[in-house]
Amino acid sequence: MKKLVVSFVFCVLSAVMLHAQQLSPHWSRQGNAMQLVVDGRPVILLAGELGNSSASSAEDIGRIFPKLRRMGLNAVLVPVYWDLIEAEEGRFDFTLVDEVIRQARQNDLKVVLLWFGAWKNSMSCYAPLWFKKDSKKYPRCRTQEGKPLEIASPFSEDVFQADSRAFERLMAHVAETDGREHTVIMVQVENEIGMLEDARDYSEQANRLFAAPVPEALMEYLEDNKKTLHPWMLDKWQKAGGRTEGNWAEVFGADIYTDEIFMAWHYATYVERMVRKGREAYRLPMYVNAAMNSRNRKPGEYPSAGPLAHLIDVWHCAAPGIDLLAPDLYDAGFKDWTARYRLHNNPLFIPEIRLEPNDGVRAFYVFGEHDGIGFSPFSIESAPDSPDYPLAESYRTLRELMPLIVKYQGKGAMRGLLFDQRDKERVVRWDKNTTLVCRHFFTLPWDARATDGSLWPEGGGLVIRLADDEYIVAGSGIVIEFKHPDEWSGQVSQKLGEDGFAATGGNDAGKTVWKETERIGLGPVDEVSVNPDGTLKYIRRLNGDQTHQGRHVRIGVDGFSILHVRLYRYE
Ligand code: DGJ
């Protein structure tokens, strides 16, 4: 009898624990995508990050969060300031964190907390004054000429102890106050870590470690993962001779990029210890963000050694507890940057991007093309408080689409589209029978803004293949023709008028060389909404002028919509 009771209690406890585990935010793999699971369901984060000083007053938080709800966000990235939670050493005040959680719950938002601890944009500006003033106990990094910087040393155990104690207390507080409700779903450890002015720290301790052998763990990692190393890292190592032992300069060559690798190892080692300490208090997904190595800048001109794509192997080896490296995007070349961070070993999450109207379509691209986890313009509270703001419209549409997006993530059934005035066309050869010729909406010349010198807003969206010859097309400012690959000659024949007739006489408009092949026609094209269970709800049938009399599907630049497209084939 006693045995029976014990095993019954054991079963109940296991079930309760399993249930709690399933409900706490975690990662799950689907096909070749990682999904963030929140409240038992995979989600995409339609988010925004608060400006740096916007979570330092309860009044501001109370004013901003309802606006974020109106904008359609489902998550907000919020800084936690070390100097405010531990103004006096060892005494913690989590009033602001509590207010963030309270307001988030009231406004139906999930929260990603950003630990502005030892480093924020490289610097230690968010460290409390008692820490800053005691530079003996809490030493700084130094330039080659010996100048101390306001960058706490990652080599100092005292720095780590002070920073990690506060971080651990924060995590324990969140566990205590939110461990059941899971309003807080993820944590960013520090902010844009990296060394400035020089590529590495030149303090005595750093110099000593730089002259010491490269840690065996890193050497083994590079050898064991040779086939999948980031091409930059493999190349750097091989060009230096591919040695498997030696000091940093011997193994990687003596230059500032080696300085950067060295520094990355130590930053990442520090971060891993932070993650472990934080997770002892509360287990949540954790990530780090990076300032980009853009505009021809060299390490030290950008924050050297941050969690950058070319350093992913060093970061992975030293900080396996970090779930992803996330790019902060403020530069031109959005598509290129996103591709650099969606790697086989790194899901794409964009915690920061410059706030601008084009973000609306860019969010679609991130989810459609890269199975993104989330998208989050910076200083989101500065966006216009209007339901017509493109990001608000985009998020409303993506929220509807979420059940379909998460269903198809990782299965190769989605593509993202993004066009501007120069990059206006993408031909997607989906399979041997189907090519999608996708373009910016303004490649159709019928809207005056297409040709009157106006700057084109970016157009973009996503395409989901639901079945053979059945697609969802969603977004803004796009037009798509479906062709049999044998028929698509690469020729654009846009000289037809909006009615589908030749715009002027004698120009052979619309005629292409016919190669005897199956043709694809448009069946029903319906504008739809998506129900929470992923089924589609008919809004209206689009035909005639709205499909160029059956030649294409399109969504104008002035709004977002979702189309359900069915094709047929004829000979
Ligand atoms: C990137 C940082 O991570 C943010 O905190 C902020 O400083 C922005 N840059 C620019 O304002």
Side-chain angles (χ1 to χ4, degrees):
M1 181 63 184
K2 203 170 153 197
K3 264 192 185 166
L4 257 179
V5 173
V6 171
S7 52
F8 176 72
V9 170
F10 179 76
C11 285
V12 170
L13 278 178
S14 313
V16 168
M17 274 165 67
L18 186 70
H19 185 64
Q21 218 173 355
Q22 281 163 350
L23 287 186
S24 59
H26 62 274
W27 299 101
S28 162
R29 177 165 282 284
Q30 175 170 282
N32 57 14
M34 289 303 286
Q35 296 186 303
L36 180 62
V37 181
V38 173
D39 297 332
R41 265 185 256 145
V43 290
I44 51 171
L45 302 184
L46 307 171
E49 178 168 324
L50 293 191
N52 289 167
S53 305
S54 299
S56 61
S57 110
E59 289 69 36
D60 289 348
I61 296 166
R63 189 175 41 77
I64 293 168
F65 279 37
K67 174 176 171 181
L68 304 184
R69 177 189 202 151
R70 290 195 293 279
M71 288 181 66
L73 274 70
N74 64 8
V76 57
L77 280 63
V78 186
V80 178
Y81 315 104
W82 185 11
D83 61 339
L84 287 188
I85 67 162
E86 196 187 358
E88 201 183 311
E89 186 171 1
R91 287 184 64 139
F92 290 88
D93 176 356
F94 292 108
T95 315
L96 287 171
V97 177
D98 293 341
E99 186 59 12
V100 165
I101 294 176
R102 198 175 71 81
Q103 283 291 342
R105 286 180 187 161
Q106 262 181 25
N107 290 288
D108 213 6
L109 294 162
K110 294 293 185 186
V111 173
V112 176
L113 290 179
L114 317 175
W115 174 237
F116 282 15
W119 301 296
K120 154 69 173 76
N121 296 27
S122 302
M123 308 290 281
S124 300
C125 50
Y126 281 94
L129 194 57
W130 53 262
F131 175 102
K132 286 180 178 169
K133 287 202 307 202
D134 195 349
S135 60
K136 281 238 156 14
K137 182 164 183 193
Y138 305 115
R140 307 294 146 83
C141 289
R142 287 179 187 271
T143 62
Q144 195 162 8
E145 59 173 350
K147 179 173 74 172
L149 301 168
E150 203 187 20
I151 300 179
S153 165
F155 300 98
S156 157
E157 187 59 21
D158 283 326
V159 168
F160 172 75
Q161 286 303 334
D163 186 18
S164 64
R165 182 185 55 199
F167 184 60
E168 188 187 19
R169 288 294 293 266
L170 167 68
M171 294 302 289
H173 183 78
V174 176
E176 200 181 300
T177 52
D178 191 49
R180 275 166 192 273
E181 282 209 39
H182 307 301
T183 306
V184 178
I185 55 169
M186 187 154 65
V187 174
Q188 178 187 292
V189 187
E190 314 288 350
N191 190 82
E192 291 192 350
I193 285 170
M195 178 69 186
L196 285 179
E197 301 200 22
D198 282 328
R200 73 168 174 90
D201 178 17
Y202 281 86
S203 65
E204 252 174 53
Q205 203 182 353
N207 288 343
R208 202 166 356 97
L209 286 165
F210 188 69
V214 174
E216 255 173 54
L218 180 57
M219 292 293 22
E220 272 169 26
Y221 183 97
L222 294 183
E223 280 191 88
D224 293 351
N225 295 285
K226 225 178 214 169
K227 286 204 183 109
T228 52
L229 290 180
H230 191 282
W232 180 89
M233 177 55 77
L234 183 63
D235 187 58
K236 173 107 184 86
W237 179 36
Q238 296 302 307
K239 277 194 177 139
R243 293 177 57 154
T244 53
E245 56 182 23
N247 66 28
W248 293 86
E250 285 163 354
V251 172
F252 296 106
D255 63 23
I256 55 168
Y257 290 96
T258 295
D259 295 350
E260 186 180 37
I261 295 172
F262 160 78
M263 208 60 198
W265 173 263
H266 289 284
Y267 274 128
T269 304
Y270 180 108
V271 165
E272 176 65 12
R273 294 179 69 203
M274 290 284 286
V275 169
R276 286 195 189 165
K277 255 185 113 168
R279 284 207 179 120
E280 272 167 28
Y282 188 27
R283 192 167 180 82
L284 278 183
M286 292 193 191
Y287 72 97
V288 277
N289 65 331
M292 295 296 93
N293 47 342
S294 50
R295 292 173 253 146
N296 289 322
R297 292 174 299 179
K298 301 215 158 40
E301 294 174 336
Y302 65 80
S304 169
L308 288 153
H310 67 285
L311 301 169
I312 192 167
D313 300 299
V314 182
W315 274 86
H316 272 176
C317 176
I322 280 294
D323 298 314
L324 58 92
L325 315 187
D328 292 346
L329 300 181
Y330 291 87
D331 286 298
F334 174 79
K335 278 187 183 170
D336 182 41
W337 289 112
T338 53
R340 287 195 210 186
Y341 285 82
R342 198 284 157 97
L343 300 169
H344 69 97
N345 51 2
N346 197 57
L348 182 63
F349 173 52
I350 300 186
E352 291 182 44
I353 179 166
R354 190 184 301 286
L355 180 70
E356 53 168 272
N358 287 329
D359 289 340
V361 288
R362 290 173 175 188
F364 271 79
Y365 181 75
V366 162
F367 297 117
E369 186 68 6
H370 293 303
D371 295 321
I373 304 295
F375 185 86
S376 169
F378 179 72
S379 193
I380 189 70
E381 69 278 16
S382 323
D385 194 355
S386 153
D388 299 334
Y389 186 63
L391 188 72
E393 282 198 57
S394 159
Y395 276 7
R396 268 204 306 279
T397 316
L398 283 165
R399 218 181 236 243
E400 261 187 43
L401 281 165
M402 190 175 333
L404 291 178
I405 293 175
V406 297
K407 178 172 172 192
Y408 287 97
Q409 273 178 335
K411 297 180 176 170
M414 290 198 284
R415 299 287 186 282
L417 304 174
L418 189 64
F419 303 116
D420 61 23
Q421 214 143 355
R422 276 172 305 169
D423 174 16
K424 356 175 200 224
E425 180 180 284
R426 174 175 179 195
V427 178
V428 180
R429 172 83 186 259
W430 208 295
D431 60 28
K432 63 180 186 356
N433 297 320
T434 322
T435 289
L436 275 60
V437 184
C438 313
R439 302 196 192 98
H440 193 291
F441 180 74
F442 279 170
T443 55
L444 304 172
W446 313 318
D447 184 310
R449 292 167 295 173
T451 51
D452 69 2
S454 304
L455 180 69
W456 293 9
E458 286 181 13
L462 57 80
V463 181
I464 308 176
R465 182 177 178 130
L466 301 178
D468 286 351
D469 292 344
E470 184 179 0
Y471 295 82
I472 288 291
V473 172
S476 174
I478 49 178
V479 49
I480 302 181
E481 290 176 67
F482 294 85
K483 301 275 189 198
H484 191 283
D486 294 342
E487 186 186 355
W488 170 245
S489 61
Q491 293 300 309
V492 183
S493 54
Q494 290 297 353
K495 289 176 197 152
L496 296 180
E498 196 165 4
D499 51 12
F501 309 143
T504 53
N507 68 11
D508 274 350
K511 287 191 191 161
T512 45
V513 181
W514 169 237
K515 300 179 205 143
E516 285 178 33
T517 179
E518 168 182 81
R519 302 199 76 200
I520 299 180
L522 288 184
V525 176
D526 294 331
E527 185 176 345
V528 294
S529 59
V530 182
N531 298 312
D533 65 359
T535 54
L536 305 178
K537 186 164 169 235
Y538 176 90
I539 298 179
R540 60 179 64 84
R541 173 68 43 96
L542 299 177
N543 205 340
D545 290 347
Q546 280 63 52
T547 61
H548 205 208
Q549 333 300 329
R551 291 180 179 85
H552 66 214
V553 301
R554 68 178 195 244
I555 304 172
V557 294
D558 296 318
F560 287 79
S561 46
I562 306 173
L563 309 182
H564 180 208
V565 180
R566 280 162 286 178
L567 309 176
Y568 72 100
R569 293 169 188 261
Y570 62 97
E571 292 186 341

